[in-house]
Amino acid sequence: MRIKKAKFITSAPTIKECPELNLPEIALIGRSNVGKSSFINAIVNINGLAKTSNTPGKTKLINLFDIDETFIFADLPGYGYAKVSGKTQNQWQKSLEQYLLKRETLVSLIQLVDSRHPLQNNDLQMAEWIKYNNLPCFVIATKVDQISRSQIMNTCKKFEKELKLPVFPFCKSDSYYNRNILSKIEEVISK
């Protein structure tokens, strides 16, 4: 699979405001500041398509991106640390759950985790919730450029064992890892 074009469609606060696009959707989930927006920009090779920030919690809405008029990336608000009120975090959680459980065009989730750190409790809880709800998912280990090459495969294997899901390494500055990720995406959207 080779992505030729991508465009931002819309931002929506809840599933009710998400347009029906009749394309398979892949939702990106992960802790705040794990690199979901950077992943989108790198995998489609368009800098700035998805807004990135160093401040956790900037993604507050469901952001939809059309990829080659073939599938949709849905960038969801991050879970975990964010400089927002508990009420706002609860609203995000409710919106996230509704989207993940009720969006009919959703074909897979990608859970992003930070390769530089051990899995956090909320990463493990999210993986358990995904399994409990029988949602298809695979995992992207982000920021592998910030760990040694020898650690990359060991980290991915450790995460696979803990999460019981396939894990793919990813680095925004090195497209070497993109081939395997794009092959997996192609697999899930063609089912």
Side-chain angles (χ1 to χ4, degrees):
M1 168 181 242
R2 190 159 180 237
I3 294 172
K4 297 182 184 92
K5 61 182 178 174
K7 67 178 182 181
F8 171 74
I9 301 169
T10 192
S11 294
T14 68
I15 190 173
K16 290 177 191 165
E17 287 84 11
C18 289
E20 292 299 328
L21 300 166
N22 298 318
L23 289 173
E25 291 184 25
I26 298 174
L28 305 177
I29 58 172
R31 287 186 298 121
S32 296
N33 224 30
V34 74
K36 296 186 306 294
S37 298
S38 294
F39 171 76
I40 292 170
N41 292 338
I43 207 81
V44 301
N45 200 25
I46 301 174
N47 268 342
L49 177 66
K51 302 291 183 247
T52 61
S53 171
N54 289 329
T55 306
K58 282 293 183 184
T59 302
K60 298 179 174 134
L61 303 169
I62 300 166
N63 296 305
L64 301 175
F65 299 87
D66 182 318
I67 313 301
D68 275 341
E69 298 175 358
T70 305
F71 71 97
I72 304 298
F73 270 144
D75 184 9
L76 304 180
Y79 54 81
Y81 173 80
K83 290 183 179 179
V84 295
S85 70
K87 181 180 177 185
T88 300
Q89 283 209 9
N90 288 338
Q91 288 172 335
W92 289 353
Q93 185 68 26
K94 185 177 178 186
S95 179
L96 184 104
E97 283 185 22
Q98 287 179 337
Y99 179 86
L100 295 175
L101 295 175
K102 296 184 178 175
R103 188 71 168 169
E104 291 180 12
T105 50
L106 185 66
V107 296
S108 184
L109 311 181
I110 299 177
Q111 183 178 10
L112 289 90
V113 295
D114 191 330
S115 67
R116 301 170 303 170
H117 308 293
L119 293 171
Q120 305 295 303
N121 283 338
N122 47 18
D123 292 322
L124 297 166
Q125 289 169 348
M126 179 56 77
E128 284 300 317
W129 185 88
I130 289 165
K131 280 187 222 110
Y132 177 80
N133 288 288
N134 294 316
L135 299 171
C137 183
F138 62 98
V139 177
I140 302 291
T142 63
K143 306 178 185 184
V144 298
D145 57 324
Q146 297 177 36
I147 62 175
S148 71
R149 286 216 178 258
S150 62
Q151 284 181 290
I152 294 172
M153 293 320 293
N154 287 339
T155 298
C156 289
K157 285 178 185 171
K158 184 175 188 282
F159 287 174
E160 279 185 352
K161 188 176 179 182
E162 291 178 82
L163 297 171
K164 297 174 183 63
L165 291 166
V167 177
F168 297 84
F170 171 76
C171 165
K172 70 178 181 180
S173 60
D174 185 351
S175 62
Y176 169 79
Y177 301 105
N178 293 2
R179 282 175 295 157
N180 291 335
I181 296 168
L182 288 168
S183 292
K184 182 64 177 176
I185 290 171
E186 189 171 32
E187 176 190 318
V188 299
I189 64 172
S190 60
K191 284 185 179 177

